[in-house]
């Protein structure tokens, strides 16, 4: 006889390599299953996650097929987090409908079918959530990449941010790409048909600099005023800098009213992260901050108002 018991909690699955940051955000979890921290009460904001399980339940089952039947009765898509009893957990995965595994060709529509997640607690109990924060299995998103033309792989986080924002530059829109070199983001923006002004202290890759939609300014972006550069439809920054420096520059842009749409990487220094500045960014009305699958030791701040 199968039983399902919902728990009034949320489970926070740490972003790879950043469990120590998540532990700072959630110091006293109710339970800990590998890199999955369960906290009682309503879902709260945590940045250093790959996925949040928003409505977790525990189910008792007799056999692998029984476990698959319980999950399948709720919805189609389930990603396994194989922390305990990994073989049994993956046999359950095999008894469930297969998840799409092909790299995604950008751009594409977000899937309609929700993506759930589960893990085994012991031989006969699983913990799962049908509702998760990420539409990708365990937060993992793999794009089909262009390894020939793109001068760096950084454009993958820009693509992911566009999917998160549900918006991207349209043909003919003017984009400012600050900290652009070698030019991965500028390349991705030009492919969308946007006009790009790229700024960096270092040179762009020569193939990117030669693209007709791209003009390049070799300069310290922070010493350039919005009035010198704007108006623009989108401002992008992937500059490696202290977060307060970026915040100060973004505030100048917001005050100027010369740009409405922003995607900026907040890069962390050393082994810690700048909670104060992240909080300041988070307080900018209408904006959101995420650790994207393609982010490293950094968070992406997104404000889209078009
Ligand atoms: C992570 S890289 C950017 C990668 C780029 N988004 C891409 O897709 O290829 C960071 C860049 O920030 C630039 N940078 C650092 N400080 C800067 C500043 N004050 N003004 C402009 N560029 C800066 C560096 O020269 C470097 O090229």
């Amino acid at each position: 006889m199968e039983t399902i018991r919902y728990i009034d909690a949320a489970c926070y699955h740490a972003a790879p390599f950043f469990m120590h940051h998540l532990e700072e955000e959630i110091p006293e979890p109710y339970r800990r299953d590998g890199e999955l921290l369960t906290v009682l009460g309503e879902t709260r904001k945590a940045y250093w996650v790959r996925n949040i399980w928003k409505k977790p339940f525990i189910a008792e089952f007799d056999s692998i097929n029984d476990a698959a039947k319980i999950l399948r009765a709720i919805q189609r898509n389930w990603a396994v987090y194989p922390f305990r009893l990994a073989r049994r957990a993956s046999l359950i995965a095999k008894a469930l409908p297969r998840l799409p595994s092909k790299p995604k060709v950008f751009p594409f529509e977000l899937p309609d079918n929700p993506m759930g997640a589960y893990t085994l607690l012991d031989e006969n109990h699983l913990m799962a959530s049908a509702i998760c924060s990420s539409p990708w299995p365990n937060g993992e998103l793999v794009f089909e990449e262009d390894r020939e033309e793109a001068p760096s792989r950084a454009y993958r986080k820009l693509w992911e941010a566009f999917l998160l924002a549900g918006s991207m530059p349209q043909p003919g829109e003017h984009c400012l790409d600050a900290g652009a070199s070698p030019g991965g983001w500028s390349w991705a923006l030009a492919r969308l048909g946007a006009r790009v002004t790229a700024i960096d202290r270092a040179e762009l890759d020569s193939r990117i600099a030669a693209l007709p939609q791209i003009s390049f300014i070799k300069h310290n972006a922070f010493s350039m005023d919005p009035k010198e550069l704007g108006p623009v439809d989108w401002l992008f920054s992937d500059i490696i800098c202290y977060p307060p420096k970026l915040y100060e520059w973004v505030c100048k842009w917001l005050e100027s009213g010369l740009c409405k749409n922003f995607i900026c990487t907040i890069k962390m220094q050393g082994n810690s992260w700048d909670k104060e500045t992240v909080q300041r960014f988070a307080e900018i009305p209408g904006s959101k901050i995420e650790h994207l699958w393609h982010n490293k030791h950094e968070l992406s701040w997104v404000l889209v108002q078009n």
Side-chain angles (χ1 to χ4, degrees), residues 45-47 49 133 164 288-292 295 298-302:
K45 184 68 201 169
Y47 294 112
V49 289
S133 64
L164 168 74
K288 51 187 167 186
I289 301 181
E290 299 282 337
H291 185 271
L292 305 173
N295 277 144
E298 58 197 16
L299 297 171
S300 291
W301 176 72
V302 176

Side-chain angles (χ1 to χ4, degrees), residues 152 154-155 177 179-185 199-202 219-222 238-240 267:
S152 74
Y155 65 89
D177 182 12
S181 297
W185 286 26
I199 313 179
D200 204 297
R201 291 203 284 220
H219 212 279
N220 173 0
F222 296 134
D238 200 22
I239 295 177
I240 297 174
K267 309 247 183 195

Side-chain angles (χ1 to χ4, degrees), residues 67-69 71-72 75-79 91-99 118:
K69 209 173 99 198
L71 295 175
R72 184 72 186 94
Q75 66 187 28
R76 182 193 186 280
N77 290 335
W78 292 95
L91 286 173
I92 296 170
K94 282 204 178 118
L96 285 163
R98 277 174 81 107
L99 297 179
Y118 72 92

Side-chain angles (χ1 to χ4, degrees), residues 25-304:
E25 295 188 280
I26 293 170
E28 288 173 4
Y30 160 69
R31 62 173 297 143
R32 182 183 283 265
D33 301 274
E35 299 206 320
L36 190 68
L37 304 184
T38 299
V39 183
L40 295 178
E42 296 216 333
T43 305
R44 58 166 94 170
K45 184 68 201 169
Y47 294 112
W48 297 96
V49 289
R50 49 158 74 196
N51 194 18
I52 300 175
W53 303 14
K54 293 184 167 183
K55 211 163 179 277
F57 62 84
I58 292 176
E60 190 179 349
F61 62 94
D62 295 330
S63 64
I64 285 160
N65 279 340
D66 187 26
K69 209 173 99 198
I70 293 170
L71 295 175
R72 184 72 186 94
I74 298 170
Q75 66 187 28
R76 182 193 186 280
N77 290 335
W78 292 95
V80 57
Y81 171 45
F83 164 63
R84 242 178 242 112
L85 300 157
R87 191 175 142 68
R88 191 165 169 81
S90 64
L91 286 173
I92 296 170
K94 282 204 178 118
L96 285 163
R98 277 174 81 107
L99 297 179
S101 58
K102 268 201 194 159
K104 303 267 188 202
V105 178
F106 182 86
F108 60 91
E109 295 287 323
L110 287 189
D112 285 334
N113 284 337
M115 179 65 63
Y118 72 92
T119 194
L120 293 192
L121 301 184
D122 60 40
E123 286 257 324
N124 298 103
H125 291 90
L126 60 81
M127 184 163 70
S129 174
I131 301 170
C132 290
S133 64
S134 174
W136 328 117
N138 291 319
E140 291 180 35
L141 169 60
V142 182
F143 288 116
E144 191 169 293
E145 294 182 45
D146 187 327
R147 293 184 189 257
E148 298 285 307
E149 283 184 30
S152 74
R153 299 175 77 205
Y155 65 89
R156 294 171 305 159
K157 68 186 167 200
L158 194 57
W159 281 356
E160 192 180 346
F162 289 149
L163 293 172
L164 168 74
S167 182
M168 65 185 86
Q170 297 303 302
E173 284 194 319
H174 187 190
C175 300
L176 188 67
D177 182 12
S181 297
W185 286 26
S186 290
W187 168 83
L189 295 168
R191 267 182 37 143
L192 294 174
R195 290 181 295 125
V196 184
T197 301
I199 313 179
D200 204 297
R201 291 203 284 220
E203 294 291 344
L204 274 184
D205 180 294
S206 56
R207 289 168 309 145
I208 303 304
L211 293 174
Q213 307 95 312
I214 295 180
S215 55
F216 178 60
I217 304 172
K218 192 170 180 196
H219 212 279
N220 173 0
F222 296 134
S223 67
M224 295 190 80
D225 200 71
K227 283 195 205 84
E228 286 174 75
L229 295 163
V232 292
D233 297 297
W234 292 77
L235 185 145
F236 299 94
S237 170
D238 200 22
I239 295 177
I240 297 174
C241 63
Y242 288 104
K245 191 79 194 156
L246 176 66
Y247 180 75
E248 194 188 313
W249 199 53
V250 162
C251 285
K252 279 192 195 167
W253 277 94
L254 290 169
E255 280 157 23
S256 76
L258 291 169
C259 179
K260 286 201 157 45
N261 306 303
F262 299 77
I263 296 183
C264 299
T265 315
I266 309 171
K267 309 247 183 195
M268 304 304 167
Q269 320 283 321
N271 204 28
S272 63
W273 62 291
D274 183 343
K275 297 171 198 67
E276 251 176 54
T277 307
V278 168
Q279 185 55 32
R280 286 203 185 113
F281 270 107
E283 283 166 10
I284 296 174
S287 71
K288 51 187 167 186
I289 301 181
E290 299 282 337
H291 185 271
L292 305 173
W293 178 250
H294 293 99
N295 277 144
K296 295 176 184 153
H297 194 205
E298 58 197 16
L299 297 171
S300 291
W301 176 72
V302 176
L303 174 62
V304 171

